Amino acid sequence: MKRYSFLELAKNAFSAHQNWGRQWRAPEPKAEYDVVIVGAGGHGLATAYYLAKEHGVHSVAVIEKGWLGGGNTGRNTTIVRSNYLWEESAGLYNHAIGLWQGLSQELNYNVMYSARGVMMLAHTVHDVQVAQRHIHANRLAGVQNEWLTPEQAKEYCPPLNIEKNIRYPVMGAALQRVGGTARHDAVAWGYARGADALGVDIIQNCAVTGIRRGQNGAVEGVETAKGFIKAKKVGVVAAGHTSTIMDMAGVRMPLESFPLQALVSEPVKPAFPCVVMSNTIHAYISQSDKGELVIGAGTDQFISYSQAGGIHISNHTIDAICELFPHFRRMRMLRNWGGIVDVTPDRSPILSKTPVQGLYVNCGWGTGGFKATPGSGHVFAHTIAKDEPHKINAPFTIDRFRTGRLIDEAAAAAVAH
Amino acid sequence: MLLVYCPYCDVERAETEFACRGEAHIARPADPTQVSDEDWVNYLYMRTNTKGVYAERWRHIHGCGRFFNAVRDTVSDRFLKFYKAGETMPDLEAIAKEAGK
């Protein structure tokens, strides 16, 4: 792998940046691998990277139906935070925050992690109580989160409208300063480049069409558009299509797939310093380094694989944005799109072994998987390599729906997050 | 936004009049005391989540308030059939074939 550095940059300037070379190979699949990962999104690529780097498993293929990072990794609103209610979640998401902080150095790839602060607004008495409960729970779990009055919130984010004359006036906010944003594509590309350098084969444009199981029920490999690939272990990291893939192995999943929308405005000069979220009136907004306002809307109410949500859903979000930030009212939106998110009944992910020997699944991130990408890959690689969960993801089993030990972030946040 | 047909009101209305209530034809166990943990998991949490032709429950919350069922293609979001609650589940494969799926 060619290491990127200032010296390389200067050297390549002399040849007008024409000779940088490919960041990863485009190999044909081998007949057999130790581990096959289904899905080359951020989580899948991170899993492959940590398998090779931390567990010495270099015979790994990541198989992707489309192009790498082309699903939800390229479609999310790039928010990073860890202020979840329950200890299990705090452990998982804080693990990711820890990795985010050194990720650009680790991968020798600028993932543009920017800890600009994530502010979650409270608009009702109930919101205020819930936010403060979160802050106290976070403090006990070692997660940074603090309470701001409306005036402090406005000081942190000057465009915010804290007038009392709007339908849902701002009554305060919870601020996680270590939260922020990262460049979503760069995360996928950085992990892909790092994994490729460690010997991982990333096979794009190759749909998985079946999971083959042997006489004893254990996984033997995957059927793909490019033929059968033998594998000792298979990790499914397929987001919205997890139910479809797991069905190939005969495993039913507690998942439903919904379209989640995002949209961006025309690019403007820096006008918005942080990330602002409002669960109650449902709006997420930040400004990308390119200058676009990045806005996240909600999910549709029905299952869909269409990658396009209803226009009334994004309208609803725009209404909220216009009320909270009146000076954006004349902004024009450039693009909107949808991604298919896999939602569990308790709104917490599943990183788990399955009833099928050699089959592992990392799914159920719902509307908020991007923030966990490094941590998710890290503990899932451990789960596959050791055939037992890391202590951080041990509570995130499929079996929790049988035992009743749910990690109920659904009730905790009152909305999908 | 989808247009949804209510088989009770015999009208087609905007989706915002309705609430989607998930997969249809999941029967509540007749005798809850006799149900194993595995069957509870299946009843409460496991969903088919089909990519393709899917039967789901809708409720006309801003109309008659009644539940009914619909068959929809979850890739194109096109509705293929509406029918009243209590009617038997239609043959999804036949509907898919007819719709050219």
Side-chain angles (χ1 to χ4, degrees):
Chain A
M1 181 174 86
K2 183 191 273 182
R3 273 193 76 77
Y4 295 153
S5 63
F6 180 72
L7 198 65
E8 275 295 320
L9 188 67
K11 224 164 69 186
N12 276 279
F14 287 109
S15 53
H17 299 291
Q18 297 296 306
N19 300 314
W20 277 103
R22 294 183 76 107
Q23 296 190 23
W24 50 81
R25 298 162 296 131
E28 284 302 308
K30 295 180 195 139
E32 186 180 351
Y33 291 93
D34 286 347
V35 179
V36 163
I37 304 290
V38 182
H43 291 249
L45 292 164
T47 305
Y49 173 79
Y50 291 115
L51 270 171
K53 169 129 191 297
E54 306 220 332
H55 302 283
V57 184
H58 296 278
S59 170
V60 180
V62 186
I63 301 184
E64 168 59 46
K65 183 180 177 184
W67 63 94
L68 69 84
N72 294 347
T73 300
R75 292 165 183 270
N76 64 79
T77 50
T78 78
I79 297 170
V80 174
R81 64 181 181 92
S82 68
N83 49 354
Y84 283 72
L85 180 63
W86 300 106
E87 269 180 29
E88 293 89 341
S89 316
L92 184 58
Y93 292 102
N94 239 16
H95 183 52
I97 290 272
L99 291 169
W100 276 117
Q101 289 170 341
L103 196 60
S104 292
Q105 288 73 24
E106 159 93 26
L107 297 175
N108 180 231
Y109 206 97
N110 188 2
V111 300
M112 296 163 76
Y113 166 59
S114 157
R116 60 184 68 180
V118 173
M119 202 161 78
M120 300 171 80
L121 302 178
H123 302 275
T124 63
V125 172
H126 174 75
D127 277 1
V128 172
Q129 290 168 346
V130 167
Q132 298 203 342
R133 182 185 176 207
H134 267 72
I135 289 169
H136 292 311
N138 286 160
R139 182 166 47 80
L140 294 173
V143 176
Q144 194 259 317
N145 200 6
E146 66 195 86
W147 178 252
L148 302 182
T149 63
E151 290 71 27
Q152 288 170 323
K154 179 146 181 87
E155 200 183 331
Y156 196 76
C157 181
L160 182 66
N161 179 10
I162 56 167
E163 297 297 322
K164 302 281 183 233
N165 62 355
I166 63 174
R167 176 64 184 86
Y168 289 104
V170 175
M171 294 178 71
L175 173 67
Q176 188 178 34
R177 291 178 191 271
V178 74
T181 59
R183 172 90 165 93
H184 52 356
D185 294 325
V187 176
W189 297 337
Y191 274 121
R193 174 168 164 268
D196 182 83
L198 293 167
V200 172
D201 284 353
I202 301 165
I203 298 151
Q204 304 181 69
N205 297 310
C206 177
V208 168
T209 53
I211 295 176
R212 195 186 285 180
R213 294 172 62 181
Q215 293 287 332
N216 59 356
V219 158
E220 286 189 336
V222 292
E223 311 277 359
T224 74
K226 296 186 175 177
F228 177 69
I229 299 172
K230 204 170 162 205
K232 294 190 186 80
K233 294 174 177 178
V234 174
V236 176
V237 197
H241 284 74
T242 303
S243 298
T244 314
I245 302 282
M246 293 300 281
D247 185 49
M248 296 171 185
V251 179
R252 265 172 83 80
M253 295 298 292
L255 294 172
E256 291 188 300
S257 297
F258 300 102
L260 178 70
Q261 288 182 75
L263 52 160
V264 293
S265 73
E266 57 193 340
V268 290
K269 285 184 178 177
F272 203 77
C274 58
V275 180
V276 173
M277 303 175 56
S278 167
N279 288 346
T280 300
I281 57 179
H282 227 132
Y284 308 69
I285 180 168
S286 64
Q287 188 173 19
S288 73
D289 292 341
K290 204 158 60 176
E292 303 152 323
L293 295 180
V294 182
I295 296 170
T299 58
D300 279 285
Q301 57 170 333
F302 48 83
I303 286 173
S304 174
Y305 291 82
S306 64
Q307 291 194 326
I311 197 76
H312 62 293
I313 304 282
S314 44
N315 265 350
H316 178 65
T317 290
I318 293 294
D319 287 346
I321 298 283
C322 288
E323 189 145 284
L324 288 174
F325 308 102
H327 73 319
F328 290 149
R329 278 185 182 167
R330 285 186 292 166
M331 291 281 279
R332 281 167 296 192
M333 294 297 139
L334 279 192
R335 289 175 285 131
N336 84 322
W337 62 90
I340 304 305
V341 300
D342 45 326
V343 176
T344 58
D346 62 358
R347 302 301 192 268
S348 284
I350 296 169
L351 295 116
S352 177
K353 296 169 70 169
T354 67
V356 178
Q357 198 200 324
L359 184 66
Y360 306 82
V361 68
N362 179 349
C363 66
W365 291 95
T367 58
F370 175 73
K371 63 175 78 70
T373 305
S376 154
H378 190 256
V379 296
F380 193 51
H382 182 283
T383 308
I384 294 175
K386 308 270 194 242
D387 194 35
E388 65 179 21
H390 190 283
K391 71 176 192 309
I392 289 174
N393 68 314
F396 294 87
T397 59
I398 304 180
D399 200 44
R400 72 176 187 264
F401 297 100
R402 187 182 61 80
T403 60
R405 291 197 65 84
L406 304 184
I407 304 159
D408 199 356
E409 293 292 349
V415 294
H417 38 262
Chain B
M1 188 182 300
L2 305 182
L3 287 173
V4 184
Y5 170 80
C6 173
Y8 293 101
C9 302
D10 191 23
V11 291
E12 192 178 56
R13 288 284 192 268
E15 177 201 328
T16 44
E17 267 190 32
F18 298 84
C20 184
R21 291 285 189 244
E23 187 167 0
H25 303 288
I26 298 175
R28 186 180 166 80
D31 182 359
T33 59
Q34 298 302 311
V35 177
S36 69
D37 285 358
E38 278 65 29
D39 288 342
W40 272 125
V41 176
N42 272 321
Y43 167 70
L44 288 172
Y45 300 122
M46 297 298 175
R47 295 295 178 261
T48 315
N49 199 21
T50 309
K51 182 179 184 178
V53 176
Y54 196 53
E56 61 194 3
R57 296 190 309 160
W58 284 78
R59 190 176 174 209
H60 196 180
I61 44 168
H62 297 300
C64 62
R66 297 184 77 169
F67 278 95
F68 57 92
N69 294 329
V71 175
R72 189 171 54 87
D73 176 4
T74 61
V75 179
S76 66
D77 290 341
R78 189 179 298 275
F79 282 107
L80 302 172
K81 187 178 170 70
F82 294 96
Y83 54 104
K84 291 178 180 173
E87 290 179 21
T88 52
M89 187 168 175
D91 183 351
L92 295 184
E93 278 179 29
I95 292 178
K97 201 175 260 179
E98 200 175 311
K101 293 290 160 189

